[in-house]
């Protein structure tokens, strides 16, 4: 199966100043080798400090709860174009969907 990248947004972006919203992002994979490489990178990461954020955040293995969720699939370029598409097309569309459907969507 393909790897999936996910983001969980923890704040209502309308009430938090730009660039200060909290979120968690990660990869869902069954590839044990890929998981090992990511976790091995933790040994090279120094202790987390806010001034170094996000480059010193360590990888963790977690279990996500099963929830209803809105999902957007799009091709990735692995670079700035993907980030721009997410920021200016996908996130606004997901926000609009949530505002229209609320917890019933």
């Amino acid at each position: 199966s393909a790897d999936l990248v996910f983001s969980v947004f923890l704040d209502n972006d309308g009430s938090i100043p730009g660039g200060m919203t909290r979120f968690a992002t990660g990869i869902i994979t069954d590839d044990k080798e890929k998981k090992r490489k990511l976790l091995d990178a933790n040994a090279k990461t120094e202790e987390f400090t806010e001034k170094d954020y996000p480059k010193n955040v360590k990888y963790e293995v977690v279990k996500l709860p099963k929830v209803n969720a809105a999902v957007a699939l799009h091709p990735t370029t692995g670079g700035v174009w993907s980030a721009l598409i997410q920021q200016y097309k996908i996130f606004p569309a997901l926000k609009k969907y949530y505002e229209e459907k609320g917890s019933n969507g």
Side-chain angles (χ1 to χ4, degrees), residues 71-101:
V71 176
L73 298 175
H74 69 92
T76 179
T77 64
V80 71
W81 288 114
S82 292
L84 290 172
I85 290 169
Q86 288 177 356
Q87 182 68 32
Y88 295 105
K89 292 288 188 181
I90 295 172
F91 294 157
L94 288 172
K95 182 178 179 182
K96 180 180 177 189
Y97 176 84
Y98 178 77
E99 288 170 350
E100 290 173 356
K101 305 288 183 181

PDB file of all heavy atoms in Angstrom, residues 71-101:
ATOM      1  N   VAL A  71     -11.103  13.924   3.541  1.00  0.00           N
ATOM      2  CA  VAL A  71      -9.838  13.521   2.934  1.00  0.00           C
ATOM      3  C   VAL A  71      -9.689  14.197   1.583  1.00  0.00           C
ATOM      4  O   VAL A  71     -10.647  14.267   0.814  1.00  0.00           O
ATOM      5  CB  VAL A  71      -9.791  11.982   2.756  1.00  0.00           C
ATOM      6  CG1 VAL A  71      -8.535  11.559   2.032  1.00  0.00           C
ATOM      7  CG2 VAL A  71      -9.901  11.289   4.102  1.00  0.00           C
ATOM      8  N   ALA A  72      -8.518  14.691   1.313  1.00  0.00           N
ATOM      9  CA  ALA A  72      -8.216  15.281   0.009  1.00  0.00           C
ATOM     10  C   ALA A  72      -7.011  14.548  -0.560  1.00  0.00           C
ATOM     11  O   ALA A  72      -5.980  14.456   0.091  1.00  0.00           O
ATOM     12  CB  ALA A  72      -7.913  16.770   0.159  1.00  0.00           C
ATOM     13  N   LEU A  73      -7.152  14.029  -1.740  1.00  0.00           N
ATOM     14  CA  LEU A  73      -6.046  13.366  -2.421  1.00  0.00           C
ATOM     15  C   LEU A  73      -5.604  14.236  -3.583  1.00  0.00           C
ATOM     16  O   LEU A  73      -6.437  14.726  -4.347  1.00  0.00           O
ATOM     17  CB  LEU A  73      -6.475  12.002  -2.955  1.00  0.00           C
ATOM     18  CG  LEU A  73      -6.917  10.982  -1.912  1.00  0.00           C
ATOM     19  CD1 LEU A  73      -7.424   9.719  -2.594  1.00  0.00           C
ATOM     20  CD2 LEU A  73      -5.758  10.638  -0.996  1.00  0.00           C
ATOM     21  N   HIS A  74      -4.310  14.456  -3.686  1.00  0.00           N
ATOM     22  CA  HIS A  74      -3.776  15.224  -4.801  1.00  0.00           C
ATOM     23  C   HIS A  74      -2.366  14.754  -5.097  1.00  0.00           C
ATOM     24  O   HIS A  74      -1.671  14.248  -4.222  1.00  0.00           O
ATOM     25  CB  HIS A  74      -3.807  16.737  -4.511  1.00  0.00           C
ATOM     26  CG  HIS A  74      -2.847  17.165  -3.445  1.00  0.00           C
ATOM     27  ND1 HIS A  74      -1.571  17.579  -3.719  1.00  0.00           N
ATOM     28  CD2 HIS A  74      -2.980  17.235  -2.101  1.00  0.00           C
ATOM     29  CE1 HIS A  74      -0.953  17.890  -2.598  1.00  0.00           C
ATOM     30  NE2 HIS A  74      -1.786  17.694  -1.607  1.00  0.00           N
ATOM     31  N   PRO A  75      -1.938  14.919  -6.344  1.00  0.00           N
ATOM     32  CA  PRO A  75      -0.566  14.532  -6.679  1.00  0.00           C
ATOM     33  C   PRO A  75       0.422  15.432  -5.936  1.00  0.00           C
ATOM     34  O   PRO A  75       0.127  16.579  -5.642  1.00  0.00           O
ATOM     35  CB  PRO A  75      -0.482  14.736  -8.190  1.00  0.00           C
ATOM     36  CG  PRO A  75      -1.632  15.609  -8.543  1.00  0.00           C
ATOM     37  CD  PRO A  75      -2.665  15.469  -7.468  1.00  0.00           C
ATOM     38  N   THR A  76       1.565  14.897  -5.653  1.00  0.00           N
ATOM     39  CA  THR A  76       2.580  15.677  -4.951  1.00  0.00           C
ATOM     40  C   THR A  76       3.812  15.857  -5.822  1.00  0.00           C
ATOM     41  O   THR A  76       4.180  14.959  -6.578  1.00  0.00           O
ATOM     42  CB  THR A  76       2.970  15.028  -3.616  1.00  0.00           C
ATOM     43  OG1 THR A  76       3.976  15.828  -2.982  1.00  0.00           O
ATOM     44  CG2 THR A  76       3.497  13.619  -3.784  1.00  0.00           C
ATOM     45  N   THR A  77       4.403  17.024  -5.703  1.00  0.00           N
ATOM     46  CA  THR A  77       5.653  17.285  -6.409  1.00  0.00           C
ATOM     47  C   THR A  77       6.840  17.072  -5.476  1.00  0.00           C
ATOM     48  O   THR A  77       7.980  17.125  -5.902  1.00  0.00           O
ATOM     49  CB  THR A  77       5.708  18.735  -6.921  1.00  0.00           C
ATOM     50  OG1 THR A  77       5.705  19.623  -5.799  1.00  0.00           O
ATOM     51  CG2 THR A  77       4.545  19.043  -7.831  1.00  0.00           C
ATOM     52  N   GLY A  78       6.531  16.893  -4.190  1.00  0.00           N
ATOM     53  CA  GLY A  78       7.599  16.736  -3.207  1.00  0.00           C
ATOM     54  C   GLY A  78       8.291  18.047  -2.882  1.00  0.00           C
ATOM     55  O   GLY A  78       9.376  18.056  -2.326  1.00  0.00           O
ATOM     56  N   GLY A  79       7.666  19.152  -3.231  1.00  0.00           N
ATOM     57  CA  GLY A  79       8.328  20.427  -3.007  1.00  0.00           C
ATOM     58  C   GLY A  79       7.369  21.569  -2.784  1.00  0.00           C
ATOM     59  O   GLY A  79       6.257  21.385  -2.303  1.00  0.00           O
ATOM     60  N   VAL A  80       7.802  22.734  -3.180  1.00  0.00           N
ATOM     61  CA  VAL A  80       7.078  23.962  -2.878  1.00  0.00           C
ATOM     62  C   VAL A  80       5.705  23.997  -3.553  1.00  0.00           C
ATOM     63  O   VAL A  80       4.757  24.523  -2.985  1.00  0.00           O
ATOM     64  CB  VAL A  80       7.923  25.197  -3.241  1.00  0.00           C
ATOM     65  CG1 VAL A  80       8.051  25.368  -4.736  1.00  0.00           C
ATOM     66  CG2 VAL A  80       7.340  26.444  -2.610  1.00  0.00           C
ATOM     67  N   TRP A  81       5.561  23.433  -4.742  1.00  0.00           N
ATOM     68  CA  TRP A  81       4.257  23.473  -5.414  1.00  0.00           C
ATOM     69  C   TRP A  81       3.213  22.715  -4.613  1.00  0.00           C
ATOM     70  O   TRP A  81       2.065  23.165  -4.506  1.00  0.00           O
ATOM     71  CB  TRP A  81       4.356  22.941  -6.838  1.00  0.00           C
ATOM     72  CG  TRP A  81       5.073  23.896  -7.736  1.00  0.00           C
ATOM     73  CD1 TRP A  81       6.283  23.690  -8.343  1.00  0.00           C
ATOM     74  CD2 TRP A  81       4.674  25.219  -8.095  1.00  0.00           C
ATOM     75  NE1 TRP A  81       6.654  24.813  -9.053  1.00  0.00           N
ATOM     76  CE2 TRP A  81       5.680  25.767  -8.914  1.00  0.00           C
ATOM     77  CE3 TRP A  81       3.570  26.006  -7.793  1.00  0.00           C
ATOM     78  CZ2 TRP A  81       5.600  27.049  -9.445  1.00  0.00           C
ATOM     79  CZ3 TRP A  81       3.492  27.289  -8.314  1.00  0.00           C
ATOM     80  CH2 TRP A  81       4.494  27.790  -9.125  1.00  0.00           C
ATOM     81  N   SER A  82       3.587  21.572  -4.058  1.00  0.00           N
ATOM     82  CA  SER A  82       2.642  20.817  -3.236  1.00  0.00           C
ATOM     83  C   SER A  82       2.219  21.630  -2.013  1.00  0.00           C
ATOM     84  O   SER A  82       1.043  21.666  -1.652  1.00  0.00           O
ATOM     85  CB  SER A  82       3.252  19.490  -2.779  1.00  0.00           C
ATOM     86  OG  SER A  82       3.430  18.638  -3.875  1.00  0.00           O
ATOM     87  N   ALA A  83       3.165  22.284  -1.383  1.00  0.00           N
ATOM     88  CA  ALA A  83       2.859  23.098  -0.205  1.00  0.00           C
ATOM     89  C   ALA A  83       1.923  24.246  -0.576  1.00  0.00           C
ATOM     90  O   ALA A  83       0.985  24.563   0.174  1.00  0.00           O
ATOM     91  CB  ALA A  83       4.144  23.631   0.422  1.00  0.00           C
ATOM     92  N   LEU A  84       2.153  24.874  -1.710  1.00  0.00           N
ATOM     93  CA  LEU A  84       1.295  25.977  -2.149  1.00  0.00           C
ATOM     94  C   LEU A  84      -0.113  25.493  -2.474  1.00  0.00           C
ATOM     95  O   LEU A  84      -1.106  26.151  -2.127  1.00  0.00           O
ATOM     96  CB  LEU A  84       1.911  26.682  -3.354  1.00  0.00           C
ATOM     97  CG  LEU A  84       3.171  27.499  -3.067  1.00  0.00           C
ATOM     98  CD1 LEU A  84       3.800  27.981  -4.368  1.00  0.00           C
ATOM     99  CD2 LEU A  84       2.871  28.657  -2.138  1.00  0.00           C
ATOM    100  N   ILE A  85      -0.218  24.346  -3.133  1.00  0.00           N
ATOM    101  CA  ILE A  85      -1.535  23.781  -3.446  1.00  0.00           C
ATOM    102  C   ILE A  85      -2.286  23.483  -2.152  1.00  0.00           C
ATOM    103  O   ILE A  85      -3.468  23.792  -2.023  1.00  0.00           O
ATOM    104  CB  ILE A  85      -1.396  22.515  -4.315  1.00  0.00           C
ATOM    105  CG1 ILE A  85      -0.928  22.894  -5.713  1.00  0.00           C
ATOM    106  CG2 ILE A  85      -2.709  21.742  -4.375  1.00  0.00           C
ATOM    107  CD1 ILE A  85      -0.509  21.712  -6.571  1.00  0.00           C
ATOM    108  N   GLN A  86      -1.585  22.892  -1.176  1.00  0.00           N
ATOM    109  CA  GLN A  86      -2.233  22.603   0.108  1.00  0.00           C
ATOM    110  C   GLN A  86      -2.703  23.886   0.782  1.00  0.00           C
ATOM    111  O   GLN A  86      -3.839  23.976   1.221  1.00  0.00           O
ATOM    112  CB  GLN A  86      -1.282  21.858   1.036  1.00  0.00           C
ATOM    113  CG  GLN A  86      -1.035  20.440   0.647  1.00  0.00           C
ATOM    114  CD  GLN A  86      -0.030  19.765   1.545  1.00  0.00           C
ATOM    115  OE1 GLN A  86       0.554  20.370   2.432  1.00  0.00           O
ATOM    116  NE2 GLN A  86       0.190  18.488   1.313  1.00  0.00           N
ATOM    117  N   GLN A  87      -1.832  24.862   0.872  1.00  0.00           N
ATOM    118  CA  GLN A  87      -2.124  26.097   1.600  1.00  0.00           C
ATOM    119  C   GLN A  87      -3.251  26.908   0.969  1.00  0.00           C
ATOM    120  O   GLN A  87      -4.106  27.423   1.677  1.00  0.00           O
ATOM    121  CB  GLN A  87      -0.865  26.957   1.695  1.00  0.00           C
ATOM    122  CG  GLN A  87      -1.051  28.235   2.469  1.00  0.00           C
ATOM    123  CD  GLN A  87      -1.291  27.995   3.949  1.00  0.00           C
ATOM    124  OE1 GLN A  87      -0.793  27.044   4.518  1.00  0.00           O
ATOM    125  NE2 GLN A  87      -2.067  28.857   4.562  1.00  0.00           N
ATOM    126  N   TYR A  88      -3.249  27.024  -0.351  1.00  0.00           N
ATOM    127  CA  TYR A  88      -4.172  27.952  -1.002  1.00  0.00           C
ATOM    128  C   TYR A  88      -5.359  27.301  -1.701  1.00  0.00           C
ATOM    129  O   TYR A  88      -6.286  28.002  -2.096  1.00  0.00           O
ATOM    130  CB  TYR A  88      -3.405  28.841  -1.976  1.00  0.00           C
ATOM    131  CG  TYR A  88      -2.438  29.732  -1.234  1.00  0.00           C
ATOM    132  CD1 TYR A  88      -1.078  29.474  -1.230  1.00  0.00           C
ATOM    133  CD2 TYR A  88      -2.901  30.805  -0.475  1.00  0.00           C
ATOM    134  CE1 TYR A  88      -0.197  30.279  -0.522  1.00  0.00           C
ATOM    135  CE2 TYR A  88      -2.033  31.615   0.239  1.00  0.00           C
ATOM    136  CZ  TYR A  88      -0.678  31.340   0.207  1.00  0.00           C
ATOM    137  OH  TYR A  88       0.176  32.130   0.926  1.00  0.00           O
ATOM    138  N   LYS A  89      -5.361  25.996  -1.862  1.00  0.00           N
ATOM    139  CA  LYS A  89      -6.487  25.324  -2.512  1.00  0.00           C
ATOM    140  C   LYS A  89      -7.142  24.285  -1.592  1.00  0.00           C
ATOM    141  O   LYS A  89      -8.342  24.310  -1.374  1.00  0.00           O
ATOM    142  CB  LYS A  89      -6.030  24.629  -3.809  1.00  0.00           C
ATOM    143  CG  LYS A  89      -5.622  25.563  -4.903  1.00  0.00           C
ATOM    144  CD  LYS A  89      -6.839  26.247  -5.466  1.00  0.00           C
ATOM    145  CE  LYS A  89      -6.476  27.047  -6.704  1.00  0.00           C
ATOM    146  NZ  LYS A  89      -7.626  27.739  -7.245  1.00  0.00           N
ATOM    147  N   ILE A  90      -6.333  23.359  -1.083  1.00  0.00           N
ATOM    148  CA  ILE A  90      -6.899  22.233  -0.348  1.00  0.00           C
ATOM    149  C   ILE A  90      -7.391  22.649   1.032  1.00  0.00           C
ATOM    150  O   ILE A  90      -8.531  22.356   1.404  1.00  0.00           O
ATOM    151  CB  ILE A  90      -5.881  21.080  -0.272  1.00  0.00           C
ATOM    152  CG1 ILE A  90      -5.644  20.557  -1.681  1.00  0.00           C
ATOM    153  CG2 ILE A  90      -6.371  19.985   0.658  1.00  0.00           C
ATOM    154  CD1 ILE A  90      -4.550  19.573  -1.820  1.00  0.00           C
ATOM    155  N   PHE A  91      -6.575  23.324   1.824  1.00  0.00           N
ATOM    156  CA  PHE A  91      -7.000  23.711   3.172  1.00  0.00           C
ATOM    157  C   PHE A  91      -8.232  24.615   3.147  1.00  0.00           C
ATOM    158  O   PHE A  91      -9.172  24.379   3.913  1.00  0.00           O
ATOM    159  CB  PHE A  91      -5.864  24.359   3.963  1.00  0.00           C
ATOM    160  CG  PHE A  91      -4.721  23.429   4.265  1.00  0.00           C
ATOM    161  CD1 PHE A  91      -3.468  23.936   4.524  1.00  0.00           C
ATOM    162  CD2 PHE A  91      -4.880  22.053   4.293  1.00  0.00           C
ATOM    163  CE1 PHE A  91      -2.396  23.094   4.806  1.00  0.00           C
ATOM    164  CE2 PHE A  91      -3.822  21.195   4.566  1.00  0.00           C
ATOM    165  CZ  PHE A  91      -2.570  21.725   4.826  1.00  0.00           C
ATOM    166  N   PRO A  92      -8.293  25.619   2.267  1.00  0.00           N
ATOM    167  CA  PRO A  92      -9.526  26.426   2.216  1.00  0.00           C
ATOM    168  C   PRO A  92     -10.756  25.598   1.824  1.00  0.00           C
ATOM    169  O   PRO A  92     -11.849  25.827   2.343  1.00  0.00           O
ATOM    170  CB  PRO A  92      -9.215  27.491   1.163  1.00  0.00           C
ATOM    171  CG  PRO A  92      -7.725  27.616   1.186  1.00  0.00           C
ATOM    172  CD  PRO A  92      -7.233  26.217   1.450  1.00  0.00           C
ATOM    173  N   ALA A  93     -10.589  24.635   0.904  1.00  0.00           N
ATOM    174  CA  ALA A  93     -11.719  23.794   0.506  1.00  0.00           C
ATOM    175  C   ALA A  93     -12.178  22.914   1.667  1.00  0.00           C
ATOM    176  O   ALA A  93     -13.382  22.740   1.894  1.00  0.00           O
ATOM    177  CB  ALA A  93     -11.337  22.931  -0.703  1.00  0.00           C
ATOM    178  N   LEU A  94     -11.235  22.361   2.429  1.00  0.00           N
ATOM    179  CA  LEU A  94     -11.604  21.549   3.591  1.00  0.00           C
ATOM    180  C   LEU A  94     -12.283  22.409   4.660  1.00  0.00           C
ATOM    181  O   LEU A  94     -13.257  21.980   5.284  1.00  0.00           O
ATOM    182  CB  LEU A  94     -10.367  20.853   4.176  1.00  0.00           C
ATOM    183  CG  LEU A  94      -9.803  19.708   3.345  1.00  0.00           C
ATOM    184  CD1 LEU A  94      -8.470  19.244   3.922  1.00  0.00           C
ATOM    185  CD2 LEU A  94     -10.777  18.549   3.256  1.00  0.00           C
ATOM    186  N   LYS A  95     -11.778  23.609   4.857  1.00  0.00           N
ATOM    187  CA  LYS A  95     -12.384  24.520   5.840  1.00  0.00           C
ATOM    188  C   LYS A  95     -13.812  24.864   5.429  1.00  0.00           C
ATOM    189  O   LYS A  95     -14.726  24.837   6.249  1.00  0.00           O
ATOM    190  CB  LYS A  95     -11.551  25.785   5.971  1.00  0.00           C
ATOM    191  CG  LYS A  95     -12.093  26.744   6.998  1.00  0.00           C
ATOM    192  CD  LYS A  95     -11.213  27.962   7.141  1.00  0.00           C
ATOM    193  CE  LYS A  95     -11.811  28.915   8.161  1.00  0.00           C
ATOM    194  NZ  LYS A  95     -11.036  30.118   8.300  1.00  0.00           N
ATOM    195  N   LYS A  96     -14.034  25.168   4.147  1.00  0.00           N
ATOM    196  CA  LYS A  96     -15.371  25.486   3.647  1.00  0.00           C
ATOM    197  C   LYS A  96     -16.298  24.281   3.833  1.00  0.00           C
ATOM    198  O   LYS A  96     -17.443  24.425   4.253  1.00  0.00           O
ATOM    199  CB  LYS A  96     -15.297  25.887   2.174  1.00  0.00           C
ATOM    200  CG  LYS A  96     -16.635  26.230   1.578  1.00  0.00           C
ATOM    201  CD  LYS A  96     -16.505  26.624   0.123  1.00  0.00           C
ATOM    202  CE  LYS A  96     -17.902  26.880  -0.443  1.00  0.00           C
ATOM    203  NZ  LYS A  96     -17.883  27.068  -1.874  1.00  0.00           N
ATOM    204  N   TYR A  97     -15.820  23.095   3.521  1.00  0.00           N
ATOM    205  CA  TYR A  97     -16.608  21.880   3.684  1.00  0.00           C
ATOM    206  C   TYR A  97     -17.040  21.717   5.140  1.00  0.00           C
ATOM    207  O   TYR A  97     -18.203  21.447   5.432  1.00  0.00           O
ATOM    208  CB  TYR A  97     -15.794  20.662   3.230  1.00  0.00           C
ATOM    209  CG  TYR A  97     -16.498  19.348   3.442  1.00  0.00           C
ATOM    210  CD1 TYR A  97     -17.408  18.871   2.506  1.00  0.00           C
ATOM    211  CD2 TYR A  97     -16.263  18.584   4.581  1.00  0.00           C
ATOM    212  CE1 TYR A  97     -18.057  17.667   2.697  1.00  0.00           C
ATOM    213  CE2 TYR A  97     -16.920  17.382   4.788  1.00  0.00           C
ATOM    214  CZ  TYR A  97     -17.818  16.931   3.844  1.00  0.00           C
ATOM    215  OH  TYR A  97     -18.461  15.752   4.047  1.00  0.00           O
ATOM    216  N   TYR A  98     -16.111  21.901   6.054  1.00  0.00           N
ATOM    217  CA  TYR A  98     -16.427  21.764   7.475  1.00  0.00           C
ATOM    218  C   TYR A  98     -17.441  22.821   7.914  1.00  0.00           C
ATOM    219  O   TYR A  98     -18.378  22.526   8.655  1.00  0.00           O
ATOM    220  CB  TYR A  98     -15.175  21.862   8.343  1.00  0.00           C
ATOM    221  CG  TYR A  98     -15.504  21.779   9.804  1.00  0.00           C
ATOM    222  CD1 TYR A  98     -15.809  20.558  10.394  1.00  0.00           C
ATOM    223  CD2 TYR A  98     -15.564  22.914  10.584  1.00  0.00           C
ATOM    224  CE1 TYR A  98     -16.153  20.480  11.722  1.00  0.00           C
ATOM    225  CE2 TYR A  98     -15.911  22.851  11.926  1.00  0.00           C
ATOM    226  CZ  TYR A  98     -16.205  21.629  12.490  1.00  0.00           C
ATOM    227  OH  TYR A  98     -16.563  21.553  13.799  1.00  0.00           O
ATOM    228  N   GLU A  99     -17.256  24.048   7.457  1.00  0.00           N
ATOM    229  CA  GLU A  99     -18.176  25.120   7.842  1.00  0.00           C
ATOM    230  C   GLU A  99     -19.586  24.852   7.320  1.00  0.00           C
ATOM    231  O   GLU A  99     -20.570  25.161   7.985  1.00  0.00           O
ATOM    232  CB  GLU A  99     -17.655  26.473   7.347  1.00  0.00           C
ATOM    233  CG  GLU A  99     -16.446  26.940   8.124  1.00  0.00           C
ATOM    234  CD  GLU A  99     -15.760  28.152   7.499  1.00  0.00           C
ATOM    235  OE1 GLU A  99     -16.091  28.531   6.348  1.00  0.00           O
ATOM    236  OE2 GLU A  99     -14.876  28.718   8.182  1.00  0.00           O
ATOM    237  N   GLU A 100     -19.692  24.231   6.141  1.00  0.00           N
ATOM    238  CA  GLU A 100     -20.999  23.929   5.571  1.00  0.00           C
ATOM    239  C   GLU A 100     -21.633  22.716   6.229  1.00  0.00           C
ATOM    240  O   GLU A 100     -22.828  22.689   6.500  1.00  0.00           O
ATOM    241  CB  GLU A 100     -20.889  23.684   4.071  1.00  0.00           C
ATOM    242  CG  GLU A 100     -20.573  24.938   3.287  1.00  0.00           C
ATOM    243  CD  GLU A 100     -20.294  24.657   1.821  1.00  0.00           C
ATOM    244  OE1 GLU A 100     -20.259  23.457   1.401  1.00  0.00           O
ATOM    245  OE2 GLU A 100     -20.086  25.622   1.063  1.00  0.00           O
ATOM    246  N   LYS A 101     -20.833  21.676   6.486  1.00  0.00           N
ATOM    247  CA  LYS A 101     -21.355  20.413   7.001  1.00  0.00           C
ATOM    248  C   LYS A 101     -21.261  20.285   8.517  1.00  0.00           C
ATOM    249  O   LYS A 101     -21.987  19.528   9.129  1.00  0.00           O
ATOM    250  CB  LYS A 101     -20.619  19.237   6.368  1.00  0.00           C
ATOM    251  CG  LYS A 101     -20.613  19.206   4.869  1.00  0.00           C
ATOM    252  CD  LYS A 101     -21.950  18.857   4.309  1.00  0.00           C
ATOM    253  CE  LYS A 101     -21.843  18.776   2.787  1.00  0.00           C
ATOM    254  NZ  LYS A 101     -23.108  18.466   2.188  1.00  0.00           N
TER     255      LYS A 101
END
